[in-house]
Amino acid sequence: MDSAKTQEILESAEFKKLVKTRWNISLSFTFVMLFVYIGFLLVIAYNKDFLKMPLGDSVNLAIVVGLGIIFFSWLITGLYVYWANNYYDSDVHEIKKKL
Amino acid sequence: MSLNLLLQISPSGPASTLGTANPVSIAIFFLFVAVTLYITYWAAKKTKTGSEFYAAGRNISGFQNGLALAGDYMSAASFLGIAGMVATKGYDGLIYSIGFLVGWPLIMFLVAEPLRNLGKYTFADVVAFRLKQRPIRIAASVGSLLTISFYLIAQMVGAGSLIKTLFGLNYEIAVVVVGVVMTMYVLFGGMLATTWVQIIKAVLLLSGATILVLLALSKFNFSPAELFMSVKTQYGSDMLAPGGFITNPLDALSLGLALMLGTAGLPHILMRFYTVPDDKAARKSVFVATGFIGYFYILTFFIGFAALALVGKDAIISLDKGGNMAALLLAENTGGSAFLGFIASVAFATILAVVAGLTLSGASTISHDLYVHVIKKGVSDEKGEMKVAKRATIFLGILAVTLGLLFKGQNVAFMVGLAFSIAASANFPALLMSIIWKGFTTKGAVYCMVTGAVLSLVLIVISPTVWVDILGNAEAIFPLKNPTIVSMTSAFIVGIIVSLAKPEKEAADLFESEKLRTYLGHGSEK
């Protein structure tokens, strides 16, 4: 592959946007996940009583939140795959055509 | 069955058959070893080249790799340990397992795709991609080998004691059997055999745990609410809420970071991304792994509570203080000794598979990173490299057995935490910065990795975990039980400062030109 062509793609607005969008999505998702998990730990550290709030006869908020974080991990990972498969990959495909 | 009747089930009941030779258990275990060795024989015929040995020829599908990743990650420690923690401490066990899970989404967002696109066999390939090979390879190998060794010691010692309790087999024999069988997988079958061992083990473990939960829930009309009610009536509602596990917020945060980011720095996990054909398959495999691992932790949560409700806390603790036998006692309680035998052999298979994965990743560090890129300066024929890889496998097999025998009866529980701490402090920061930061330099990366590894080691020794609990001193010099918040943050800061102090132009230029490979997968290893 000739380097002029490479340079042209690297400097194209299209490619720059691809890279920028990728990290915008990745880093936002990362911060959301960190926020959820660290938030959970801090609530446990500072306010255990809040999590003891009963929901029904035997289930409490702690159980719902704990299992909820597992479901949330699935959801956010799935969301990323959905975005990457449907949007990122088609942009990559467009740029690759020029190579 | 009514709730009142349930509460009358005596926790003592008939004496457990744990610790005696269980014919079902031995039969299933031999069957597992026979099948996996046959797979190894089949894989050996397809394992000739480096890419076949280290990366199964990059022919594993995204779904298969997802299962294998789950197999690598779901150790006996998390199966028996987390169920045991829930069975003795209640809800707190879940906090631990959530920490282990949330690292997976981060692997997806930050490292999986660039890692597959830039690397060849090890994560050091990615860090060294645009930096100077030798210093990076040496520093990265130190981080990798330390992580692998501590993880390996914990697994081997766990294997010995577990097998002793399960089968009544001598500790030393158990350690040697595990060492020999796993060495055979890796030595002859390479990554292909190791991957299939992980897949079979993951399927066995997930189905075994599912059946266990269903059998246990059948005693509660398949209603989790009734199970929680039984726990609440017997042990009080505090069992279902966070207890004493997290008291110091800084300690909690430090452990949380170790579990979460350490996952993204485990060499044997990162290595698995090279077994799939491209970045799209790498992406899929993280999604599949996250699904199965999350499901597994939900199962262990229910297993722990069901053991608490049906077997009873006293009976569990009388057998093992840490509650590690909870899942097995529950299996016996709900499915009789045949089912106990099944679950016990699954636990054994789990250990075998995990140590095989660790050994393969250690061997690739020694042969690919150290031999080829440090000793041979990057020029080596495939034959020579494979020879070293195979010797390294035998060496690591012997080392694992020796360490397992040496640490017999020692408290090694902290070593898993230490392995995660080193992975989060020495491996993860350098990997992440090499992927996202143009200004990262060779010197910065080396200082970053060394800082992370040294601080993790030193701080854990002077922390309450070792200084007080193991060495018996009255007060710890470093207050936190897990050093990650300090060691990882320092690694990042040192890496950034050293890189900024003296920019490396070639590295920055290469960062730009490698972008087609990072983001488009153009020119990545096929």
Side-chain angles (χ1 to χ4, degrees), chain B residues 61-210:
Chain B
S61 77
F63 184 82
Q64 289 166 345
N65 191 43
L67 259 180
L69 279 168
D72 246 328
Y73 200 62
M74 300 180 299
S75 61
S78 49
F79 176 47
L80 303 175
I82 301 238
M85 217 153 140
V86 174
T88 51
K89 299 202 168 72
Y91 185 85
D92 282 357
L94 183 67
I95 305 174
Y96 225 98
S97 52
I98 289 175
F100 279 119
L101 179 70
V102 289
W104 285 90
L106 297 200
I107 291 187
M108 173 77 99
F109 310 147
L110 300 175
V111 296
E113 296 153 286
L115 189 80
R116 174 62 189 84
N117 283 342
L118 288 175
K120 198 172 174 193
Y121 302 136
T122 63
F123 87 88
D125 288 335
V126 179
V127 186
F129 196 85
R130 67 193 157 96
L131 303 177
K132 295 196 181 67
Q133 291 284 341
R134 286 186 60 167
I136 297 293
R137 298 277 177 181
I138 295 172
S141 302
V142 172
S144 288
L145 292 174
L146 282 175
T147 311
I148 292 165
S149 304
F150 287 115
Y151 214 111
L152 208 52
I153 295 174
Q155 294 292 328
M156 291 304 279
V157 173
S161 350
L162 176 72
I163 290 160
K164 197 170 162 233
T165 325
L166 293 184
F167 306 92
L169 196 71
N170 182 296
Y171 176 97
E172 283 78 10
I173 294 179
V175 167
V176 172
V177 168
V178 169
V180 170
V181 176
M182 69 95 172
T183 305
M184 282 170 71
Y185 294 154
V186 179
L187 185 63
F188 300 114
M191 183 52 108
L192 187 58
T194 307
T195 300
W196 281 101
V197 170
Q198 301 293 12
I199 291 175
I200 294 173
K201 161 254 171 112
V203 170
L204 278 175
L205 184 57
L206 288 165
S207 47
T210 304

Side-chain angles (χ1 to χ4, degrees), chain A residues 23 48 57 62 80 85 88, chain B residues 91 113 232 243 246 283 519:
Chain A
W23 287 110
K48 286 193 180 64
D57 288 340
Y80 179 85
N85 283 348
Y88 186 75
Chain B
Y91 185 85
E113 296 153 286
K232 192 176 164 184
I246 288 182
R283 190 187 297 153
Y519 298 101

Side-chain angles (χ1 to χ4, degrees), chain A residues 33 36-38 40-41 44 62-71 73, chain B residues 73 82 91-105 256 259-260 263 293-294 297-298 300-301:
Chain A
M33 198 67 236
V36 166
Y37 178 58
I38 291 173
F40 172 64
L41 291 179
I44 293 175
I63 293 178
V64 174
V65 171
L67 296 179
I69 293 179
I70 296 182
F71 290 114
S73 305
Chain B
Y73 200 62
I82 301 238
Y91 185 85
D92 282 357
L94 183 67
I95 305 174
Y96 225 98
S97 52
I98 289 175
F100 279 119
L101 179 70
V102 289
W104 285 90
L259 299 181
M260 193 179 195
T263 304
I293 294 166
Y297 285 133
I298 294 175
T300 55
F301 184 62

Side-chain angles (χ1 to χ4, degrees), chain A:
Chain A
M1 181 179 54
D2 67 291
S3 59
K5 190 83 203 159
T6 310
Q7 211 51 38
E8 192 191 315
I9 291 176
L10 284 173
E11 275 161 22
S12 68
E14 219 182 342
F15 183 75
K16 283 189 171 153
K17 187 168 162 265
L18 178 90
V19 175
K20 201 173 160 214
T21 316
R22 193 245 187 252
W23 287 110
N24 280 344
I25 299 256
S26 291
L27 293 175
S28 332
F29 278 30
T30 302
F31 285 121
V32 169
M33 198 67 236
L34 282 170
F35 178 79
V36 166
Y37 178 58
I38 291 173
F40 172 64
L41 291 179
L42 292 180
V43 172
I44 293 175
Y46 286 108
N47 197 350
K48 286 193 180 64
D49 288 337
F50 173 67
L51 289 169
K52 287 180 182 161
M53 192 203 311
L55 301 168
D57 288 340
S58 56
V59 178
N60 59 23
L61 187 64
I63 293 178
V64 174
V65 171
L67 296 179
I69 293 179
I70 296 182
F71 290 114
F72 182 75
S73 305
W74 287 341
L75 184 79
I76 196 168
T77 328
L79 212 62
Y80 179 85
V81 175
Y82 178 81
W83 168 78
N85 283 348
N86 291 289
Y87 299 94
Y88 186 75
D89 278 356
S90 58
D91 290 348
V92 166
H93 190 71
E94 286 303 310
I95 299 176
K96 266 187 158 176
K97 273 192 209 158
K98 295 180 194 161
L99 280 171

Side-chain angles (χ1 to χ4, degrees), chain B residues 231-301:
Chain B
V231 172
K232 192 176 164 184
T233 330
Q234 292 184 70
Y235 301 94
S237 60
D238 278 358
M239 210 59 169
L240 299 170
F245 178 53
I246 288 182
T247 39
N248 176 350
L250 216 55
D251 232 339
L253 197 61
S254 195
L255 178 70
L257 288 174
L259 299 181
M260 193 179 195
L261 301 172
T263 304
L266 291 175
H268 65 298
I269 295 290
L270 297 173
M271 187 183 186
R272 294 221 58 90
F273 291 108
Y274 301 123
T275 64
V276 292
D278 54 26
D279 53 351
K280 197 180 166 89
R283 190 187 297 153
K284 185 176 174 184
S285 58
V286 188
F287 180 61
V288 172
T290 311
F292 282 123
I293 294 166
Y295 172 65
F296 175 70
Y297 285 133
I298 294 175
L299 293 177
T300 55
F301 184 62

